[in-house]
Amino acid sequence: MVTVGVDLAAEAVRTAVAWLDWSTGRARLVRVVAGADDALIVEAVMAADKAGIDCPLGWPDRFVDFVTAHRTGHVQVPPDLAGRAWRRDLALRVTDQVVHQQTGLTPLSVSADRIAHATMRCAALLAELARRDHPVDRRGAGAVVEVYPAACLKQWGLPHRGYKRTANLAELGHLVDRLQEAAPWLDLGEHEPLCRASDHVTDAVVSALAARAAALGLVTVPTGEQASAATTEGWIALPTTPLDRLATNDRGRSTRS
């Protein structure tokens, strides 16, 4: 199995892609690209067994309805809601609220924060994949799954804050150390220095690990009304097992001696 992780930003310069090759209870980081353009991302996703994208795959349904209503001048505030309570469902998707409930972390709002720029790029990528007969199930059931590296790291008991940006390279190095301690089966190889130098690359590696978890069925999946919303809004797949369960060939059977 080959899993791909994409740390997607609005522009290529801050976008990283990582490829993990899985075999016999081990994972090897075989390729990393920092500064990934759209063409490379599309080809990487199409060639992977599972790809994890660190970016919202859609907008809140209620936000879309709100913008549509505002365009025609027919916005109506529910009589039993006001202020922050009303805006919550406009700013946060169902999956964002579920992630907060389960981890205490709140994903950036795709309708009220700068991450919307990355999602605009993501929407174009998803459309291109569909044009190439590679449609994406935003619920994560297909070849692409939405992931959230900080939440994955927290679920796996690893440092998940304070490692971003150049000023925090020491913390990024600490994260890489902890990751290798927790996953001795993960071989970063010649790409380890780049992981220590770029939080985008490290997040891409974590996204590829999360894609592996999704491929093995070791993540949360939407149910009931969540599934309906996730069809259009997207769904963040949270790991449901310890990190070492990823070193398997099937759903839970370890291949390590």
Side-chain angles (χ1 to χ4, degrees):
M1 178 187 292
V2 173
T3 62
V4 162
V6 182
D7 180 47
L8 189 69
E11 302 295 335
V13 67
R14 298 181 61 216
T15 298
V17 180
W19 288 256
L20 288 178
D21 185 11
W22 300 83
S23 61
T24 319
R26 296 193 63 82
R28 186 166 58 95
L29 184 58
V30 294
R31 186 184 179 192
V32 168
V33 173
D37 62 19
D38 290 2
L40 184 145
I41 294 170
V42 169
E43 293 299 330
V45 169
M46 292 182 64
D49 293 291
K50 193 80 172 184
I53 298 182
D54 175 18
C55 181
L57 300 187
W59 280 264
D61 286 342
R62 292 190 180 182
F63 173 73
V64 174
D65 293 341
F66 167 77
V67 171
T68 301
H70 174 62
R71 182 174 184 177
T72 58
H74 294 101
V75 169
Q76 292 185 345
V77 180
D80 57 336
L81 293 175
R84 182 178 299 177
W86 173 57
R87 296 194 305 271
R88 181 191 61 188
D89 290 341
L90 303 180
L92 298 176
R93 301 171 297 163
V94 169
T95 188
D96 298 328
Q97 296 179 51
V98 170
V99 166
H100 178 72
Q101 293 166 3
Q102 295 190 5
T103 70
L105 302 176
T106 302
L108 294 176
S109 168
V110 66
S111 52
D113 211 316
R114 287 182 297 176
I115 198 171
H117 291 273
T119 303
M120 292 173 191
R121 183 184 181 194
C122 187
L125 292 171
L126 300 186
E128 180 60 24
L129 288 166
R131 281 191 289 270
R132 298 195 187 192
D133 296 322
H134 209 80
V136 170
D137 182 340
R138 298 184 204 176
R139 297 168 298 180
V144 172
V145 63
E146 182 181 337
V147 298
Y148 180 16
C152 291
L153 292 170
K154 185 172 184 181
Q155 294 294 90
W156 290 327
L158 296 170
H160 63 283
R161 294 185 185 275
Y163 66 91
K164 303 280 189 176
R165 300 182 178 85
T166 304
N168 296 312
L169 284 182
E171 290 303 316
L172 177 59
H174 176 61
L175 168 57
V176 174
D177 289 339
R178 288 288 307 279
L179 177 60
Q180 291 182 307
E181 291 170 4
W185 39 263
L186 175 62
D187 180 10
L188 300 179
E190 64 182 293
H191 306 293
E192 181 178 338
L194 189 53
C195 293
R196 294 180 180 276
S198 169
D199 59 87
H200 301 301
V201 169
T202 296
D203 275 353
V205 172
V206 175
S207 297
L209 290 169
R212 168 71 169 184
L216 296 179
L218 305 178
V219 295
T220 56
V221 295
T223 59
E225 293 182 2
Q226 295 174 348
S228 177
T231 300
T232 51
E233 295 185 348
W235 178 262
I236 297 171
L238 293 174
T240 56
T241 66
L243 182 60
D244 61 10
R245 284 287 302 278
L246 304 190
T248 63
N249 273 344
D250 55 30
R251 296 175 182 239
R253 180 173 58 84
S254 176
T255 60
R256 290 180 291 175
S257 57

